[in-house]
Structure formats: structure tokens, C-alpha cells
Amino acid sequence: MMIEALLAVTLVGALVTFVAPNRIAGKLAFGISLIPAALSLWMFTAFDGSGNALLDGELAFESQFEWIQLGDYTISWLVGLDGISLPLVVLTTVLTSLAIMSSWTPIDERESQFYGLVLFIEANLIGVFTALDFFVWFIFWEAVLIPMYLLIGVWGGPRRKYAAIKFFVYTNVASLLMFGAFITLVFGLGDVTSFALPEVATAMLEGGPDGFAGLGGSALASVVFVAMFLGFAVKVPVVPFHTWLPDAHVEAPTPASVLLAGVLLKMGTYALLRFNFTMFPEQVEAYAIPIAAIAVISVIYGAMLALAQTDLKRIVAYSSVSSMGYVILGLVAYTQFGVGGATFQMVSHGLISGLMFMAVGVIYNATHTRMVTDMSGMADRMPVAVGILVAGAFGYMGLPLMSGFFGEFAIFFGAFGSGLLAYSQLFTSLAMFGIVIVAGYLLFALQRTVFGPYHLETDYDVGRAPLHDVAPMFVLLGIIIALGVAPELIFDMITDAVDPILENGGDA
């Protein structure tokens, strides 16, 4: 019942924080968030699962009971963890605690509601990564949208209402497309009697759909695959469905940006791996080239857009589009290092992007501007915060002994030798060029803001950042270096869960 304990603590904690006095809400929420963080770290050390959750693997912390009978179909409470989902649960709980601490400076109104919503997001994110019945999973999936919409719309910047509505419309329409596609698939699988993902995956791999609504089995599988891919692609996001992301990041308060880039984007790539790349190996092979093209375009186009920005938040936001392109390339490679590296990169990018948004937020708290052209010489006034920002930027650029290096190297290694993806060497080479552009825009931004003589367009006195602002960044930097030095801390459990996927359609 450990997963239920995680959910209960965060949900009850959210309710308690909602009604707490504003003056103690931040500290209370942080204290509450440490409980699921500690529990998830204990679960990480006690993990005894093996294989893949959808492919007859041995689940850790599994719990199941029937919930609702919907005609001929059963909806069950089915939760559990494998080597893919557990690292993402730990990422969620740890990053939430650090995001809450980073909120103490910028959030100074309606604190109890803000921190309550953050804990509510955490609960639903845990549900997304642990639920293995589609209906239960979809409830958590949709419930994440509401608090993030409010965090952007209430505590965001001048164009917060526009950004919040755009975020909600894009992601909700994509969710409806994905939901309709999956339900159609279940109706087309004649022997399926529940919405449990392991049962659906087994039926797909052993025989596939019989057909539905005038479509034959093969055509139905292709239609569902494409519809679900598009639905999840908006969440990732990939080009051309990325336009909601920069607006959401720029207008969102910094802690919301940390969670949005650090964890919410991983919902899309996690779902692609769980659904498309696990259940549809034949369709993955059939559509491998267009998927790889989308991945490479996202890498290059996202990096070029970042290069053209002068707002630090927009630079980091567009870099997320580029980084998620690498994840898609690793998934479509369908090799152990490709898929395993993509999953590792989900965790790595969550840590590095969270660190970068925190660092940008700390600079904004002091200067009240994010424009590269408005400041220079910040290293003289904020040496610790700026030092961590530089370290995070090098992590983004793939500096060896940091997690970003191993994640990208594994993806490139796996994609370059892919036997499923035609022209894999070409796609990989083009994607690798993105690293050059990443170095260009990050070094340009750092040179203008960090080095040189001190200059600030706004009329504020800039000094050292308070301890509670830099402490979360120190923790993230430590984890980034730890995973860079010893990637096997999570990579071994990831590949153990990835290998069964490859046995059904890839080449391990």
C-alpha cells in the first residue's frame, strides 16, 4: 500500500495546506512534501520488481481490486511500479519539494492556495506514473491540467490568462483525441474485458484488434497509433504542437515552470513509451521514418528558436522542445540504449531544466527582468546563483560527468546503430548538430548576462541570493552530477524494464 500512502499524504496535505494561514503555508507545504519524497526514496532502495509492468513483469508495490463494472468491462484500481515508472516517481516527489522551497521568495500572495495546488499536482503526477488501468490513469492525467491552469492563470505574468487558456485548450483537446483512440482500440479487441493496460497490451501483441467501425484490424491499429501519438505529442511537446509551451513558461511563476518542464512534459514521453512504443511494435516500424523526422525537426527547430530569444525563460523553454526531440529519437530507435537512454533523459532533463528555471527565477527575483539585453556582470553580485546557472547550462550542453551527457550519448549510440530505423545514421547525425546550436544560445546568454562589467537597466539593488533560493539548486546540481558519474543508479533498472518491449518488436 505504499503507492496509496504516497497519494494519501499528498492529497491530504494539499487539503490541509489550502486551509492553513498564508504565513505558514510555504513551510507547511515543504514539510508535508518531504514525506512523499522520503517514501519514494525508500521505495527506490527497496525496489524488487523486474521486467515491464505491461508485459508480465513483476511489479513492485502492486495493489489491485475491482472498482466499477461498466457493462462487459471492468475498471480496476491497479497500481504498481517497474524500472521505467519508479525513477519518474522519485523525480516528481524530489522536484516538488525543491520547487516549493524555491517559491518562498517569489510567492507572496494567496500562499495557502498556491502551495495546496502544487501538492495536488504532485499527487496526480504520482498517479500518472503508477496507475495501470486506463480509466484510473486518465483521471490522474486530466486532473493535472486543472491546478497547472490555475497556477498560470492566477499567479502568472501580464498575459497569464491567455497562456493558461492556451495551455488548457491544447492539452485538453489532445487528451480527448487520445482517449477516443484508446477506447476505440479496446472495443476492437474482442477478448478484452477490462481497461487494465497489461491486458490490453497482451491482446495487442498476441493478435491485435479484430476491427471496429468499418475498419479492419490493421487499419484500426494504424489509426489508433497515429491518433494517440498526436495526442501525446502535444503534451511532449514536439514541433509543430509546441506553441503553447513558451507562453505557458514565460507567464507561469517560476515554481510552476519548474514542475511544468521538469515533470509535466515527461507525461507525454512516458505515455508514448507505455502506449505507442510498447503496444504497437508493427506501427512503430511502419511510421519510424516520419517519427524520426519529427524528432530531428524538434531538435533543430527548437534550438534555433532558442537561439533567437532574448528572454532567459524563453531560451530555456524552447530548449525543452529541443531536448524532448532527443527523447523521441531514442524511443523510435527501438534499441536498448535508444529507449533506455530516452527514459534516462526524461529524468535528466527534468533535473537540469528544473535547475535552469530556478536559476533564472533567482536572477529575476533580484533584477526584475529576464531580458539578456538588460543586464550584464551578474557574477559579481550573485556569484553562487550564477555559478549554479553556469553549471546547469553546461549540463544542458552535455558536459561529461553530468547526467545530460550520458542521456544524450546513450540516445545517439542507440539510434546510430538502430536496425529498425532506416537512415538511422543520417537522422542521428542531424540530431547531434543540435548540440552545437545548444552551446551557441547558452553561451551567448551567459556571456551577455553573467560576464563583463556590471550593468542593470532596472533600478534594483542586486546582492547575494538567500539560502532558501540557492539550496534547492545545490541539491539538483548534486543529483545531476551523481547520475552523470554513476548512471547505473537508475539505468540498470530502466533497461530491465525496456528489454521486454524490444523483444516484441525491436532489437536489443
Side-chain angles (χ1 to χ4, degrees):
M1 301 294 286
M2 290 301 299
I3 294 174
E4 287 82 355
L6 282 175
L7 293 169
V9 168
T10 48
L11 286 173
V12 173
L15 293 174
V16 171
T17 305
F18 264 117
V19 299
N22 285 330
R23 67 180 184 278
I24 66 168
K27 306 300 189 297
L28 176 64
F30 177 70
I32 292 172
S33 72
L34 291 178
I35 300 174
L39 286 175
S40 68
L41 290 171
W42 176 85
M43 293 165 71
F44 182 83
T45 61
F47 178 73
D48 60 354
S50 63
N52 189 280
L54 271 60
L55 304 174
D56 297 323
E58 293 292 329
L59 292 176
F61 312 105
E62 181 181 8
S63 179
Q64 181 177 13
F65 60 85
E66 291 187 5
W67 181 23
I68 300 172
Q69 191 66 36
L70 196 65
D72 296 330
Y73 298 93
T74 301
I75 299 174
S76 300
W77 174 264
L78 173 59
V79 294
L81 292 169
D82 63 3
I84 292 173
S85 53
L86 179 56
L88 293 170
V89 170
V90 176
L91 171 69
T92 299
T93 58
V94 171
L95 200 58
T96 300
S97 294
L98 299 177
I100 289 174
M101 181 180 287
S102 72
S103 307
W104 291 350
T105 295
I107 304 302
D108 56 4
E109 61 178 4
R110 305 177 71 172
E111 291 96 327
S112 57
Q113 289 84 13
F114 178 89
Y115 293 111
L117 289 171
V118 170
L119 290 174
F120 187 63
I121 287 179
E122 179 184 20
N124 289 294
L125 287 169
I126 293 171
V128 167
F129 296 132
T130 58
L132 295 170
D133 181 280
F134 177 76
F135 258 91
V136 177
W137 175 87
F138 188 75
I139 291 171
F140 286 122
W141 175 275
E142 286 293 277
V144 170
L145 302 182
I146 302 170
M148 182 56 68
Y149 167 81
L150 293 173
L151 289 177
I152 298 172
V154 176
W155 288 271
R159 300 176 71 244
R160 58 186 180 272
K161 292 182 180 179
Y162 167 78
I165 292 173
K166 189 174 183 180
F167 160 77
F168 190 86
V169 170
Y170 266 69
T171 53
N172 198 43
V173 169
S175 296
L176 291 175
L177 177 64
M178 171 270 296
F179 179 85
F182 187 86
I183 295 302
T184 301
L185 175 67
V186 172
F187 289 159
L189 293 168
D191 297 331
V192 170
T193 60
S194 78
F195 294 96
L197 298 183
E199 183 178 349
V200 175
T202 299
M204 277 297 301
L205 295 171
E206 290 184 352
D210 299 327
F212 185 74
L215 293 173
S218 178
L220 176 63
S222 295
V223 170
V224 170
F225 177 86
V226 172
M228 295 188 71
F229 182 89
L230 293 175
F232 296 138
V234 174
K235 197 77 169 184
V236 171
V238 297
V239 176
F241 309 113
H242 66 287
T243 58
W244 64 267
L245 182 65
D247 292 320
H249 271 309
V250 169
E251 300 305 322
T254 296
S257 290
V258 170
L259 291 177
L260 180 59
V263 190
L264 265 70
L265 302 189
K266 312 310 175 290
M267 291 168 58
T269 49
Y270 171 80
L272 281 172
L273 177 55
R274 275 287 190 237
F275 291 87
N276 291 71
F277 290 90
T278 298
M279 299 182 185
F280 299 86
E282 294 181 4
Q283 284 68 37
V284 171
E285 184 173 4
Y287 294 99
I289 289 180
I291 292 173
I294 290 173
V296 172
I297 291 171
S298 295
V299 168
I300 302 299
Y301 187 63
M304 293 296 289
L305 287 174
L307 186 62
Q309 306 304 312
T310 56
D311 185 315
L312 287 173
K313 244 191 174 185
R314 281 192 177 272
I315 292 174
V316 181
Y318 279 118
S319 69
S320 292
V321 177
S322 183
S323 295
M324 290 299 97
Y326 289 126
V327 174
I328 301 299
L329 180 64
L331 292 177
V332 78
Y334 238 49
T335 60
Q336 185 186 73
F337 273 93
V339 181
T343 308
F344 185 94
Q345 182 69 355
M346 294 182 207
V347 178
S348 173
H349 178 264
L351 297 168
I352 296 174
S353 63
L355 172 61
M356 292 293 287
F357 275 114
M358 283 185 188
V360 171
V362 170
I363 292 175
Y364 178 78
N365 293 339
T367 64
H368 293 261
T369 180
R370 296 189 301 265
M371 304 305 294
V372 173
T373 54
D374 287 350
M375 66 184 102
S376 64
M378 288 297 108
D380 291 338
R381 303 298 179 95
M382 307 178 71
V384 177
V386 165
I388 298 175
L389 172 64
V390 172
F394 280 116
Y396 241 130
M397 287 184 269
L399 184 72
L401 301 184
M402 301 184 81
S403 62
F405 172 79
F406 180 81
E408 292 176 1
F409 172 78
I411 289 171
F412 294 148
F413 183 80
F416 195 83
S418 174
L420 179 141
L421 176 61
Y423 312 109
S424 59
Q425 292 87 354
L426 175 62
F427 283 119
T428 306
S429 300
L430 290 173
M432 291 177 69
F433 182 69
I435 297 177
V436 178
I437 308 176
V438 170
Y441 66 70
L442 287 176
L443 291 175
F444 166 76
L446 292 176
Q447 183 182 14
R448 294 294 300 271
T449 60
V450 172
F451 304 111
Y454 174 75
H455 169 74
L456 181 64
E457 289 291 332
T458 58
D459 186 20
Y460 288 91
D461 185 21
V462 178
R464 292 176 179 267
L467 178 61
H468 63 259
D469 279 352
V470 297
M473 297 191 293
F474 267 120
V475 174
L476 285 176
L477 183 59
I479 300 173
I480 291 166
I481 295 173
L483 289 180
V485 174
E488 68 274 7
L489 288 172
I490 64 171
F491 191 68
D492 289 345
M493 69 167 58
I494 288 172
T495 53
D496 179 66
V498 162
D499 286 344
I501 299 174
L502 305 175
E503 293 169 3
N504 286 292
D507 52 277

